[in-house]
Amino acid sequence: MVTVKDKVFAPFISQEVLSQRIDELAETMNREYRGRNPLFVVVLNGAFMFASDLLKKVEVDCCVTFIRLASYEQTQSTGKVKQILGLGEPVQDREVVIIEDIVDTGLTMSQLISQLKEQGAASVEVATLLHKPEALKTPISLRYVGFEIENRFVVGYGLDYDGLGRNLDAVYVLAE
Ligand code: 5GP
C-alpha cells in the first residue's frame, strides 16, 4: 500500500505487467505505422511516463511533440472546449497519434481529436494507457488501449492525485 497525500492506494497494475503490455502496443504500432512517419502528440502532464516507455519501443521514423490542455474551460456552443497549449508542430497532413494517460468520460479526447482534425491532420488515432469504459460519455474510437479498467480512481505512472504520486513506478488504485 502507498499513501499519497491523505489517501491510501493499493497496487493495481505492476511494473512488469505495464512493461509487457507497452511492448505489445509498440509492436502493433511498428507494424501499422511503418513508412508513415507519424507525429506523436503527448498530452502532458499525465502521459509523460507512458510516452517515454512506449516511444523507446517504437522503431518507425516518427516525430514527437508535447501539448497541455488548458485547465480552464471555455463554454462554447458545442459545450466545454479545452484549448490546446504549446502545439509547436504543424499537424497539417500529418498522421497523428495522441498519447494519453487515461480516457475517462472521453470528453477531453473527443475534443482534442476534433481540434487536430480541424487543423488538417491526415489521420488522428489515440493511444491511451488506461480506459474506463463504464465512464465513457461520448462515443470515441480508441485504437490503442493498454488496459480497460473499472471506474475507480488510480494514481502513479504519471497519473496524479492533487499533484502528487506521478513518480510512482506502477499504477495504484484508491483503497475502498
Ligand atoms: P475525460 O475527459 O476522459 O473525463 O478526462 C480524462 C482526464 O481525467 C485524464 O487525462 C486525467 O487527467 C483525469 N482522470 C480521469 N480518471 C482519472 C483517474 O482515475 N486518476 C487520475 N489521476 N486522473 C484521472
Side-chain angles (χ1 to χ4, degrees), residues 100-108 132 152-154 159-160:
E100 176 63 306
D101 54 358
I102 184 164
V103 174
D104 185 26
T105 63
L107 297 173
T108 307
K132 294 179 181 173
R152 294 170 69 189
F153 188 77
V154 291
L159 290 124
D160 75 308

Side-chain angles (χ1 to χ4, degrees), residues 10 139 147 156 168-169:
F147 303 89
L168 293 167
D169 63 8

Side-chain angles (χ1 to χ4, degrees), residues 43 46 69 82 100-110 130 132 135-136 149-156 158-162 164 166:
V43 184
L69 300 173
K82 287 189 178 173
E100 176 63 306
D101 54 358
I102 184 164
V103 174
D104 185 26
T105 63
L107 297 173
T108 307
M109 210 29 59
S110 80
L130 305 172
K132 294 179 181 173
L136 211 56
I149 64 169
E150 48 197 298
N151 200 359
R152 294 170 69 189
F153 188 77
V154 291
V155 293
L159 290 124
D160 75 308
Y161 163 51
D162 212 7
L164 297 168
R166 291 195 199 276

